[in-house]
Amino acid sequence: MASYKEPSFKDRAALSAQAKQAALEKLKAKPPIDPAVAAERAAARAAKEAAEAQKRADKKAAIEQARLDKIAKAEAVKAEAAQAVVKAELTEAEKKAARDARYAARKNRK
């Protein structure tokens, strides 16, 4: 049985050069890309990018609309709370009318 022989630097360099040459030949043997196919791929890529850009724009618009809706809702709640405070505070005339009604009701019971 033959023992393992460590390859020398020269052997490794030659093997590397052979591999590079084989890769280069394989690349040269590859048929060139058909211009029609390249144009079709470019059109497909452009369509895909346009669709993605539209999707991003739609998402951005939806986020902005949600933000505006949230602000409008908060303002509506604030206005409603202010209206409730105003309604809760009876005017002097309303207080007097309620007092007079109670007085009249008490007087009618007697």
Side-chain angles (χ1 to χ4, degrees), residues 20-65:
K20 285 180 184 177
Q21 189 62 34
L24 186 61
E25 288 172 6
K26 185 177 178 182
L27 185 64
K28 285 182 180 177
K30 189 176 182 182
I33 297 175
D34 186 23
V37 172
E40 184 179 317
R41 287 180 185 171
R45 183 174 41 249
K48 183 178 178 183
E49 288 174 359
E52 288 174 355
Q54 181 64 37
K55 187 177 178 182
R56 281 193 304 271
D58 291 345
K59 185 175 181 181
K60 193 173 187 180
I63 290 171
E64 182 66 19
Q65 185 63 41

